[in-house]
């Protein structure tokens, strides 16, 4: 019984395997049928043909083929049955239709020809097992339908007599197709074997470099020991270790580029046009020559770069550098056999020429040099490198050609459309404007012992409208960092008293707490591949090579600032895909907290009561965390938490975060007992909110940013740090237009409560005012309201002094004026 049940499944598995890689074959036969079936019908009947009128049968076939063709419009649940339906449709459209109409027409040469055509089409559409089954099913059902539906069925003997020929055709066609598939598979296997061997050959050099670097690292390490002891490594050995690591990383990068290039070329992957920008030919060639993974110093000394006339072209730096890598690799291949070989990379006149004094290329090879899987005779090459180069250069709007003389030289010439001066200046102006938006009013500290370089760097940065301070060495820099806050530090690495690495260590270890998370960029003369490894280990966010033009310096600083912002978790995105339920009876508090969450990419559902929160949790949508205000009317936060934990719903165990203006030990204990995982005080600070949410969700929290400026003085009306947070998330206008009127309304509410002697109403009003003023950055008002609120809440008595309310009204008025002025100034800066 088991074999009977599994036989159809195994048979259909062969059919699925035949079509699953791609449904194109079925789509093409559908198109062929949608045209062919109506056309054959018209040829038979429009031109006076006679015989059985199979109009409705052909219409059913065309309908089934049309359904197959429109697979993309099928409901998702039905797409799983596409191949099942195609099995029926093909059997119906080919063997059934042609055999049935042939029997109805009494056989004849036309019937035999049509049947043979149906059989050979079927051979193309299925494996031999399913061809036999589909033929048997189609012919059998057609014969049965003919016998049942025809009033006088008869067996056309001429048609039947040709069935053995049909059988021979099925067997022969199936064998031919099987042989063809085997031959194709063998060619594919050979191609893959050749490609795999070529990639292995290409990877041999990078892997050898990695092994060489690891061997050098092993030799530089102290001798191993089972005893716990401290091993001292001198500075020179540390520097050597970093050099070996840098060389190893370059070799790995080179290997990954070989793999990426091969896959891109095999798949004919187009370049992303959005990545194209204005490149300096001289800078791009210099980067390629410096960063190429040379096997030894002899290889490096064989390559010379000459920038006679720099120009700008449109391209992608990574792709272009790899093009140069390919050309250098091709030339260096002949170095062992020709120790005196020289390679010159020349930039001039809108062209980049790579010329080597190698053995040259034969004319017949030169004619097909840029074709895929063609090599110039080098053993083990993939034959994809130059094809990739041509495709990349063409994507940049350029051309590549090769001129060679056997026994003399080979020269590749890359020609690009030169970016016009006006367009270049427009691009530079756009980049500068974008950098100004990033650095406007930012504080930058330039640390450099060379006064001339400090002055030049200062001039390059002042155009960005930032505040620039200078320090002559690391010691002066630490003094500045301990007495103020900075958004970015640009530090030379080689300085007296305290070098750049020591400065980075002091900064990241917290010796200047307010600047622990400040963006740090190195200014260095070391080779880029070495500087990258060393500065990353030291805690720098980027590095810029000396000397540097303004455009390069600004680009590096902008990239470093973006990387630092991302590492702090302050940018949008770290909560993408997360859903939060926020319950607070005060719509303005909800707007502030919800703004922080949405700015981080979260989806937020806001409700104004505990009852509404319970209704949302009873629905089908799931939440990652529920945030509940403790003090809400009717059903407070603690009562809501108890209801959630006791409810028979899927989210009864959802993490809960309490939001409260005051959290005494009794409240915390009651909240923990009710099911809260943590508490956060009003006004809610975004970094702390993110940390608590990450803890409740069990994920890695974003790095908490150091404060951007010192805390506001105790007597200050406004908390400017908090207000800058509203600027970043785009809520400044909402703060001024909605929060301030609500604060005035709350003050009037307090006056009404005092006039009527309603103590509880006054406590409720103060609770709302504490939350509102804290969220709005009204620091002085918040502190005074909170100092009044807590004793009233705990002791349930009116304040002893009658001046508490006039003072609140006075601070509210002063806050409104100060906040509107601050917002106007912030808008003007933007």
């Amino acid at each position: 019984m088991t074999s009977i049940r599994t036989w159809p499944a195994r048979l259909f598995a062969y059919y699925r395997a035949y079509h699953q890689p791609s449904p194109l074959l079925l789509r093409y036969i559908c198109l062929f049928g949608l045209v062919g079936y109506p056309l054959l019908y018209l040829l038979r009947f429009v031109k006076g043909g006679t015989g059985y009128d199979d109009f409705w049968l052909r219409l059913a076939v065309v309908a089934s083929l049309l359904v197959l063709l429109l697979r993309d419009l099928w409901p998702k649940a039905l797409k799983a049955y596409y191949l099942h339906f195609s099995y029926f449709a093909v059997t119906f459209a080919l063997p059934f239709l042609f055999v049935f109409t042939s029997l109805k027409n009494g056989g004849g040469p036309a019937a035999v020809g049509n049947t043979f055509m149906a059989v050979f089409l079927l051979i193309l559409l299925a494996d031999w097992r399913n061809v036999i089954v589909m033929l048997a099913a189609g012919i059998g059902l057609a014969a049965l339908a003919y016998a049942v539906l025809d009033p006088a069925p008869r067996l056309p003997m001429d048609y039947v007599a040709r069935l053995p020929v049909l059988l021979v055709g099925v067997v022969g066609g199936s064998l031919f197709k099987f042989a063809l598939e085997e031959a194709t598979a063998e060619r594919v296997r050979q191609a893959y074997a050749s490609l795999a061997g070529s990639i292995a050959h290409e990877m041999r050099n990078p892997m050898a470099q990695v092994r060489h670097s690891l061997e050098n690292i092993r030799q530089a390490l102290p001798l191993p020991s089972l005893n716990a002891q401290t091993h001292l490594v001198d500075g020179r050995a540390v520097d050597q270790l970093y050099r070996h690591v840098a060389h190893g990383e370059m070799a790995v990068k080179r290997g990954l580029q070989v793999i990426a290039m091969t896959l891109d070329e095999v798949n004919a992957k187009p370049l992303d046009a959005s990545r194209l920008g204005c490149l300096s030919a001289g800078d791009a060639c210099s980067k390629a020559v410096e960063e190429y993974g040379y096997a030894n110093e002899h290889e490096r000394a064989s390559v010379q770069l000459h920038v006679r006339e720099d120009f700008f072209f449109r391209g992608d730096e990574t792709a272009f550098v790899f093009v140069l890598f390919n050309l250098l690799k091709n030339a260096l291949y002949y170095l062992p056999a020709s120790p005196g070989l020289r390679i010159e990379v020349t930039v001039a006149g809108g062209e980049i020429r790579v010329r080597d004094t190698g053995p040259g290329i034969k004319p017949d090879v030169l004619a097909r040099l840029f074709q895929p899987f063609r090599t110039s005779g080098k053993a083990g090459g993939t034959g994809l490198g130059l094809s990739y180069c041509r495709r990349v250069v063409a994507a940049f709007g350029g051309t590549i050609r090769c001129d060679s003389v056997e026994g003399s030289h080979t020269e590749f010439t890359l020609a690009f459309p030169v970016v016009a001066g006006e367009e270049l200046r427009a691009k530079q102006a756009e980049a500068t404007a974008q950098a100004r938006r990033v650095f406007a009013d930012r504080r930058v500290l330039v640390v450099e012992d060379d006064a001339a370089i400090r002055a030049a760097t200062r001039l390059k940065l002042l155009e960005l409208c930032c505040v620039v301070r200078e320090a002559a060495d690391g010691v002066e820099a630490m003094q500045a960092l301990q007495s103020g806050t900075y958004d970015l530090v640009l530090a030379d690495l080689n300085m007296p008293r305290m070098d750049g690495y020591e400065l980075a260590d002091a900064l990241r270890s917290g010796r200047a707490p307010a600047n622990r998370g400040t963006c740090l960029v190195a200014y260095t003369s070391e080779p880029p591949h070495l500087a990258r490894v060393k500065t990353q280990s030291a805690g720098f966010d980027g590095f810029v090579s000396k000397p540097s033009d303004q455009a390069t310096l600004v680009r590096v600083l902008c990239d470093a600032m973006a990387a630092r912002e991302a590492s702090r978790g302050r940018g949008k995105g770290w909560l993408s895909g997360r859903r939060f339920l926020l319950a607070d009876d005060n719509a303005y508090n909800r707007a502030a907290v919800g703004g922080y969450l949405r700015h981080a990419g979260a989806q937020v559902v806001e409700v104004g009561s505990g009852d509404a929160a319970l209704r949302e949790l009873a629905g089908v949508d799931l939440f990652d965390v529920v945030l509940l205000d403790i003090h809400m009317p009717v059903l407070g936060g603690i009562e809501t938490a108890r209801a959630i934990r006791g409810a028979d719903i899927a989210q009864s165990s959802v993490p809960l975060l309490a939001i409260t203006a005051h959290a005494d030990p009794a409240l915390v204990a009651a909240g923990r007992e009710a099911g809260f995982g943590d508490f956060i005080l009003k006004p809610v600070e975004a970094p702390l909110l993110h940390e608590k949410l990450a803890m409740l969700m069990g994920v890695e929290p974003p790095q908490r940013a150091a404060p951007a400026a010192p805390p506001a003085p105790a007597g200050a009306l406004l908390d400017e740090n908090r207000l800058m947070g509203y600027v970043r998330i785009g809520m400044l206008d909402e703060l001024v237009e909605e929060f301030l009127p609500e604060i005035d309304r709350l003050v009037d509410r307090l006056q009404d409560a005092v006039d009527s002697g309603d103590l509880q109403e006054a406590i409720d009003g103060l609770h709302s005012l504490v939350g509102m003023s804290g969220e709005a950055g009204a620091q002085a008002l918040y502190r005074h309201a909170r100092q009044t609120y807590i004793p009233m809440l705990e002791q349930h008595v009116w304040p002893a002094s009658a001046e508490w309310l006039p003072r609140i009204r006075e601070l509210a008025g002063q806050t409104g004026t100060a906040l509107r002025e601050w917002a106007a100034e912030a808008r003007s800066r933007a």
Side-chain angles (χ1 to χ4, degrees):
M1 182 63 69
T2 302
S3 62
I4 293 176
R5 287 179 178 175
T6 58
W7 176 79
R10 290 201 302 270
L11 182 67
F12 186 73
Y14 288 116
Y15 182 78
R16 183 187 299 276
Y18 194 87
H19 286 288
Q20 200 144 34
S22 173
L24 286 179
L25 194 58
L26 287 171
R27 292 188 178 184
Y28 288 145
I29 203 66
C30 288
L31 290 171
F32 177 75
L34 289 174
V35 175
Y37 281 101
L39 185 60
L40 288 175
Y41 181 83
L42 292 174
L43 288 175
R44 285 174 54 195
F45 291 99
V46 171
K47 294 186 177 181
T50 60
Y52 171 64
D53 187 354
D54 58 355
F55 174 80
W56 294 107
L57 196 57
R58 286 177 182 265
L59 185 63
V61 168
V62 169
S64 65
L65 295 180
L66 184 62
V67 170
L68 274 182
L69 187 63
L70 298 178
R71 176 184 178 273
D72 292 341
L73 302 179
W74 285 28
K76 186 176 181 181
L78 294 181
K79 286 184 178 179
Y81 300 100
Y82 173 74
L83 290 179
H84 299 78
F85 181 74
S86 73
Y87 201 100
F88 158 77
V90 169
T91 304
F92 177 52
L94 293 175
F96 177 86
L97 173 69
F98 283 97
V99 171
F100 182 78
T101 55
S102 295
L103 292 173
K104 293 288 287 184
N105 286 315
V112 173
N114 289 340
T115 304
F116 268 87
M117 180 179 68
V119 169
F120 281 104
L121 286 175
L122 188 62
I123 290 174
L124 294 175
L125 292 174
D127 63 287
W128 65 271
R129 307 168 190 83
N130 282 285
V131 166
I132 295 173
V133 172
M134 295 166 86
L135 272 177
I139 294 173
L141 290 173
L144 179 62
Y146 173 65
V148 172
L149 299 177
D150 195 279
R154 68 179 186 85
L155 196 62
M157 297 310 297
D158 63 330
Y159 185 70
V160 175
R162 287 173 173 79
L163 288 180
V165 179
L166 178 66
L167 180 62
V168 172
V170 170
V171 174
S174 297
L175 289 175
F176 175 78
K177 190 179 76 167
F178 179 76
L180 182 63
E181 289 175 349
E182 285 294 305
T184 303
E186 180 60 28
R187 286 197 296 271
V188 170
R189 282 194 292 270
Q190 291 177 358
Y192 275 122
S194 175
L195 183 61
S198 299
I199 293 176
H201 175 81
E202 295 280 5
M203 292 294 293
R204 188 175 293 118
N205 184 39
M207 294 304 294
Q209 292 181 39
V210 172
R211 184 177 64 182
H212 179 67
S213 297
L214 291 174
E215 176 63 21
N216 288 334
I217 292 173
R218 185 189 64 79
Q219 293 178 3
L221 290 172
L223 293 175
S225 172
L226 295 178
N227 299 323
Q229 56 182 313
T230 301
H231 296 281
L232 297 179
V233 181
D234 62 33
R236 181 175 299 177
V238 170
D239 188 68
Q240 285 299 318
L241 284 171
Y242 273 109
R243 290 182 182 275
H244 298 324
V245 170
H247 288 149
E249 283 198 357
M250 284 294 297
V252 171
K253 181 179 179 181
R254 168 68 174 144
L256 293 175
Q257 287 172 329
V258 168
I259 294 172
M261 180 273 295
T262 303
L263 293 177
D264 286 353
E265 189 60 23
V266 168
N267 296 317
K269 181 180 178 182
L271 255 66
D272 184 359
S274 65
R275 294 170 51 188
L276 302 186
C278 289
L279 300 182
S280 161
D283 289 348
C285 290
S286 176
K287 183 172 184 177
V289 170
E290 289 297 325
E291 295 190 0
Y292 181 81
Y294 300 99
N296 48 55
E297 289 301 322
H298 184 202
E299 280 195 355
R300 176 64 187 90
S302 302
V303 180
Q304 300 292 324
L305 172 64
H306 307 289
V307 183
R308 305 202 198 292
E309 181 185 354
D310 195 10
F311 64 93
F312 286 82
F313 65 97
R314 192 179 304 280
D316 173 69
E317 185 180 72
T318 301
F320 174 77
V321 167
F322 195 47
V323 167
L324 264 292
F325 281 177
N326 268 280
L327 299 181
L328 291 175
K329 174 181 68 68
N330 290 340
L332 289 169
Y333 175 86
Y334 299 102
L335 185 61
S338 305
L341 181 141
R342 290 291 177 268
I343 303 168
E344 292 187 347
V345 181
T346 305
V347 178
E351 294 182 341
I352 298 168
R353 295 189 296 275
V354 181
R355 181 186 181 97
D356 67 74
T357 58
I361 302 173
K362 295 179 180 179
D364 60 324
V365 175
L366 193 63
R368 52 183 173 83
L369 195 61
F370 293 100
Q371 297 176 12
F373 299 102
R374 300 284 187 175
T375 72
S376 59
K378 302 191 297 296
T382 63
L384 292 173
L386 291 177
S387 172
Y388 176 83
C389 292
R390 183 177 64 175
R391 194 158 58 85
V392 169
V393 171
F396 297 168
T399 59
I400 180 172
R401 70 175 188 273
C402 179
D403 302 301
S404 184
V405 175
E406 281 192 88
S408 174
H409 69 273
T410 298
E411 183 176 80
F412 288 89
T413 303
L414 289 72
F416 298 99
V418 177
V419 176
E422 295 79 7
E423 181 181 353
L424 183 60
R425 285 189 289 272
K427 289 285 184 183
Q428 291 173 340
E430 180 182 348
T432 302
Q434 183 177 359
R436 283 199 191 105
R437 289 192 289 270
V438 174
F439 281 94
D441 297 328
R442 300 269 191 151
R443 288 168 56 82
V444 178
L445 180 63
V446 177
V447 189
E448 168 66 64
D449 61 319
D450 189 311
I453 294 179
R454 277 203 316 274
T457 304
R458 179 188 181 90
L459 289 175
K460 294 173 184 175
L461 295 177
L462 285 178
E463 189 177 349
L464 304 183
C465 302
C466 57
V467 179
V468 181
R469 297 288 182 266
E470 299 178 23
D473 55 37
V475 174
E476 284 190 20
M478 280 305 300
Q479 293 172 352
L481 292 165
Q482 288 169 342
S483 60
T485 57
Y486 291 86
D487 297 285
L488 182 140
V489 177
L490 176 62
D492 182 29
L493 293 181
N494 189 9
M495 295 183 294
R497 294 205 293 173
M498 177 186 284
D499 61 37
Y501 294 115
E502 293 172 319
L503 175 62
D505 179 64
L507 201 61
R508 296 303 186 223
S509 62
R511 285 172 54 186
N515 291 286
R516 186 171 187 169
T518 295
C519 183
L520 189 57
V521 177
Y523 212 8
T524 176
S525 301
E526 290 186 298
H529 69 282
L530 178 59
R532 181 177 295 107
V533 174
K534 295 173 73 173
T535 56
Q536 283 179 350
S537 298
F540 286 89
D541 297 291
F543 71 93
V544 60
S545 298
K546 292 183 180 179
S548 173
D549 58 70
Q550 184 185 36
T552 302
L553 175 64
V554 169
R555 176 175 51 81
V556 170
L557 296 185
C558 286
D559 290 345
M561 286 289 287
R564 174 51 52 176
E565 291 291 331
S567 70
R568 290 172 176 174
R570 298 196 310 182
K572 296 182 179 179
W574 88 274
L575 289 178
S576 293
R578 301 283 186 172
R579 299 184 79 251
F580 298 93
L581 177 59
L582 172 60
D584 193 317
D585 62 310
N586 191 305
Y588 302 97
N589 292 344
R590 293 200 307 269
V593 177
Y596 293 142
L597 296 175
R598 293 187 181 94
H599 185 67
Q603 299 178 38
V604 185
V605 175
E606 299 180 16
V607 295
S609 67
D611 288 334
L614 292 175
R615 288 194 295 271
E616 287 289 340
L617 289 169
V620 295
D621 292 329
L622 300 180
F623 295 96
D624 292 276
V625 178
V626 177
L627 299 88
L628 298 173
D629 181 30
I630 290 293
H631 191 83
M632 290 188 292
V634 185
L635 200 64
I638 291 180
E639 292 80 8
T640 304
R642 289 175 180 153
I644 293 171
R645 292 293 184 246
D648 185 16
I649 56 176
Q651 297 194 80
S652 60
S653 59
V654 64
L656 303 177
L657 177 64
I659 304 175
T660 179
H662 175 57
D664 58 34
L667 178 65
V668 172
R672 295 287 186 188
E673 182 272 332
F676 281 106
D678 209 340
F679 295 77
I680 188 169
L681 290 176
K682 296 178 181 180
V684 175
E685 298 289 343
L688 182 59
L689 174 64
H690 291 170
E691 288 178 7
K692 290 186 178 292
L693 291 176
M695 183 273 295
L696 290 174
M697 293 185 296
V699 299
E700 186 70 22
Q703 180 179 337
R704 189 168 183 181
L717 280 171
L718 303 178
D719 181 352
E720 296 192 9
N721 290 337
R722 188 168 192 81
L723 296 178
M724 285 304 301
Y726 283 110
V727 173
R728 283 192 294 272
I729 66 176
M731 284 187 61
L732 181 61
D733 291 338
E734 184 177 345
L735 178 72
V736 175
E737 295 170 7
E738 298 185 15
F739 276 50
L740 288 181
E742 180 63 13
I743 287 176
D744 292 338
R745 191 190 67 79
L746 288 174
V747 174
D748 292 338
R749 176 183 174 185
L750 287 175
Q751 185 65 62
D752 292 341
V754 170
D755 293 342
S756 62
D758 191 339
L759 177 60
Q760 186 58 50
E761 176 66 12
I763 292 174
D764 292 344
L766 276 172
H767 170 267
S768 297
L769 183 62
V770 168
M772 283 290 300
S773 58
E775 295 295 351
Q779 179 171 273
L781 178 60
Y782 164 74
R783 288 179 175 173
H784 182 68
R786 194 170 189 277
Q787 289 169 1
T788 306
Y789 167 69
I790 292 175
M792 289 177 67
L793 177 67
E794 294 178 345
Q795 302 169 20
H796 211 71
V797 296
W798 290 100
S801 172
E803 296 300 316
W804 67 273
L805 184 54
R807 179 58 177 159
I808 284 178
R809 188 177 293 280
E810 178 185 6
L811 289 173
Q814 294 174 352
T815 297
T817 301
L819 182 53
R820 289 185 176 89
E821 292 176 352
W822 190 94
E825 184 178 349
R827 293 190 195 99
S828 66
R829 289 198 302 267

